Amino acid sequence: MKKPAAIHAPLKQFPTKDNELVIGGKTVTELAEDVGCTPFYAYDSAAMSRRVAELRAVLPEGVSLHYAMKANPMPEVVRHLATLVDGIDVASAGELEVALTTETPPHEISFAGPGKRDWELLAAIKAGITVNLESPNEMRRLATIGEAEGIKPRVAVRVNPDFELKASGMKMGGGPKAFGIDAEQVPDVLREIGERDLDFVGFHIFSGSQNLRPESIIETQEKTFELAYRLAEDAPQPVTLLNIGGGFGIPYFPGEARLDLEPVSAELAKRLSECRARLPEAEVVIELGRYFVGEAGVYISRVIDRKLSRGEVFLITDGGLHHHLAASGNFGQVVRRNYPVVVANRVESEDKEMVSVCGPLCTPLDVLANKMTLSHAEEGDLIAVLQSGAYGYTASPLGFLSHPKPVEIFL
Ligand SMILES: *Cc1c(COP(=O)(O)O)cnc(C)c1O
């Protein structure tokens, strides 16, 4: 049976004017003129603000939001989000440096990630942020550095849970993992934290990301709270921070719908009131990256060549995999599917055709759109890849083939 043509859900994200995509109040042609070259990434601050406001409106009172800045570490983006959310999660000393340029209080910045170097731990201690411990050895190294500095480091234990986030785009917990300390090892680590000069604040339990199914997020949150209660029994000090992860996904591919947060929120409200009774001092944090920024970003490239090969149309652009690995399908995807792509200066047209949009790299992996139906495009037209605000620029092999890097603009 032939499936009906699947429609990309997020195409209405940005308005149009004169049949052109409008981002941050300007048409793509105007933006390209302003930037002076293609390709570029454009990030719309108003779209980020709207996303955070909508999320706050639906989530229960009393839950804090952190921005996991590896999704988009552009300093302007981080500084904008810092004004909207309660804290920032960093994954390197480089990210920490940017986070420290915001108004975010140090105790609302946390640093997760395996393999933190001694100098990174030192930077974290000096800044007074929370270090999410990824291993027993990391705990010992941090304690030793803190003792040498005469500073008591703030620590949370990142737990590798004994369950998985089901139907998640990327699983980051459960089973043997490089991330976090296995739940069954945590009691021993907590005992040792109590014996060292470490200021224990709580737990970080992150199970995975890019989840669009409310029922699996609900189930994960329930298990996360249960695990935290269980582990808290061995904690050397009261739990004041409980980071329950995030995992809220955004629709990228045909047929995907927006995550329905109403049921997630309703269940979370119950979990929160229970948490107030069981861990009365705990600030409950949800950490999100792509959910805040993914839909606010667009990657624009220009058609350099239009060619016909054995009956198929290829649009060759000046942008591709080297700038946007995820859109090419090579950033952890199992099956390649098309991101939402439009001809940005001819959004609607009577004259549609099936084309493949390829970049300038000498590899068959360099595909931005595989056999998509788009408005007829010619050399000089602009191609937009939507849903590109997260894991775009910095998650791409920018040096591959030595083409120029794309520009990033914050609108
Ligand atoms: C990457 C990461 C996130 C952000 O994931 P998104 O899918 O962008 O929301 C959150 N927490 C941790 C620990 C991460 O490593």
Side-chain angles (χ1 to χ4, degrees):
M1 201 175 76
K2 199 167 175 291
K3 279 198 207 152
I7 304 293
H8 270 98
L11 286 182
K12 303 254 178 277
Q13 191 72 5
F14 294 96
T16 56
K17 183 181 149 201
D18 304 332
N19 208 20
E20 291 208 24
L21 211 58
V22 173
I23 307 157
K26 291 194 172 178
T27 65
V28 282
T29 299
E30 289 167 341
L31 286 176
E33 276 167 18
D34 287 356
V35 174
C37 62
T38 50
F40 59 89
Y41 278 95
Y43 309 125
D44 182 356
S45 59
M48 296 174 198
S49 303
R50 268 199 310 277
R51 180 58 67 240
V52 177
E54 284 169 16
L55 189 58
R56 292 247 196 233
V58 66
L59 286 180
E61 266 316 291
V63 61
S64 297
L65 295 176
H66 279 198
Y67 176 46
M69 66 174 275
K70 80 170 189 288
N72 188 329
M74 186 193 193
E76 289 85 343
V77 170
V78 178
R79 287 197 275 271
H80 178 65
L81 273 162
T83 66
L84 306 172
V85 300
D86 307 294
I88 302 177
D89 294 332
V90 304
S92 71
E95 288 190 357
L96 174 58
E97 213 172 296
V98 173
L100 290 173
T101 67
T102 69
E103 302 284 308
T104 310
H107 68 270
E108 292 290 358
I109 299 176
S110 57
F111 183 0
K116 299 180 194 78
R117 265 57 53 84
D118 285 357
W119 59 272
E120 293 185 296
L121 294 173
L122 180 61
I125 293 173
K126 285 188 168 165
I129 64 160
T130 306
V131 176
N132 294 348
L133 298 171
E134 302 271 349
S135 80
N137 281 334
E138 187 172 271
M139 179 259 293
R140 290 173 202 130
R141 277 196 293 128
L142 182 71
T144 304
I145 296 167
E147 281 152 21
E149 285 296 307
I151 305 173
K152 198 171 179 177
R154 270 175 71 89
V155 298
V157 173
R158 176 161 180 191
V159 183
N160 175 21
D162 39 16
F163 55 83
E164 288 191 347
L165 175 53
K166 286 182 193 146
S168 185
M170 220 174 270
K171 288 196 178 76
M172 291 183 63
K177 286 280 182 306
F179 311 105
I181 299 173
D182 293 350
E184 51 280 21
Q185 292 181 27
V186 169
D188 283 340
V189 170
L190 289 172
R191 208 160 304 124
E192 206 173 325
I193 288 174
E195 291 159 6
R196 303 291 298 248
D197 244 348
L198 293 168
D199 181 17
F200 171 82
V201 296
F203 298 108
H204 175 211
I205 308 177
F206 175 77
S207 311
S209 69
Q210 183 48 25
N211 202 306
L212 290 170
R213 290 178 49 186
E215 60 281 12
S216 46
I217 293 174
I218 289 168
E219 189 188 323
T220 298
Q221 290 186 344
E222 184 177 354
K223 288 180 176 170
T224 298
F225 279 102
E226 287 303 326
L227 179 58
Y229 300 148
R230 188 150 45 88
L231 297 176
E233 289 171 15
D234 292 302
Q237 281 165 233
V239 172
T240 55
L241 176 72
L242 177 57
N243 181 330
I244 62 168
F248 300 178
I250 61 171
Y252 287 101
F253 305 117
E256 287 184 343
R258 298 198 62 78
L259 172 63
D260 181 6
L261 281 169
E262 295 284 348
V264 173
S265 182
E267 285 300 316
L268 184 59
K270 293 185 217 160
R271 299 280 94 76
L272 279 178
S273 58
E274 191 184 28
C275 187
R276 272 176 211 123
R278 298 186 67 171
L279 300 174
E281 294 174 47
E283 175 191 11
V284 175
V285 172
I286 290 182
E287 58 176 0
L288 298 167
R290 81 183 75 226
Y291 197 81
F292 294 140
V293 294
E295 291 162 287
V298 182
Y299 174 64
I300 304 285
S301 60
R302 197 180 288 282
V303 178
I304 302 298
D305 198 1
R306 176 191 163 92
K307 55 194 279 191
L308 199 63
S309 170
R310 303 203 166 114
E312 290 186 18
V313 178
F314 289 82
L315 302 174
I316 313 294
T317 62
D318 55 5
L321 165 160
H322 53 315
H323 297 166
H324 201 333
L325 188 66
S328 78
N330 294 292
F331 188 57
Q333 293 96 330
V334 181
V335 180
R336 191 197 178 284
R337 288 179 290 177
N338 289 323
Y339 265 48
V341 169
V342 288
V343 180
N345 59 326
R346 300 171 198 263
V347 175
E348 294 299 336
S349 170
E350 300 281 281
D351 186 8
K352 296 246 180 194
E353 60 181 357
M354 193 166 79
V355 301
S356 291
V357 180
C358 297
L361 306 191
C362 302
T363 158
L365 300 177
D366 192 10
V367 176
L368 292 178
N370 182 39
K371 295 183 183 157
M372 272 181 93
T373 302
L374 301 181
S375 302
H376 179 104
E378 291 288 340
E379 286 147 34
D381 281 334
L382 297 168
I383 301 289
V385 181
L386 300 163
Q387 308 295 80
S388 295
Y391 306 108
Y393 185 99
T394 58
S396 299
L398 297 170
F400 191 34
L401 269 88
S402 305
H403 287 289
K405 289 179 185 169
V407 172
E408 291 182 291
I409 53 170
F410 178 75
L411 300 163

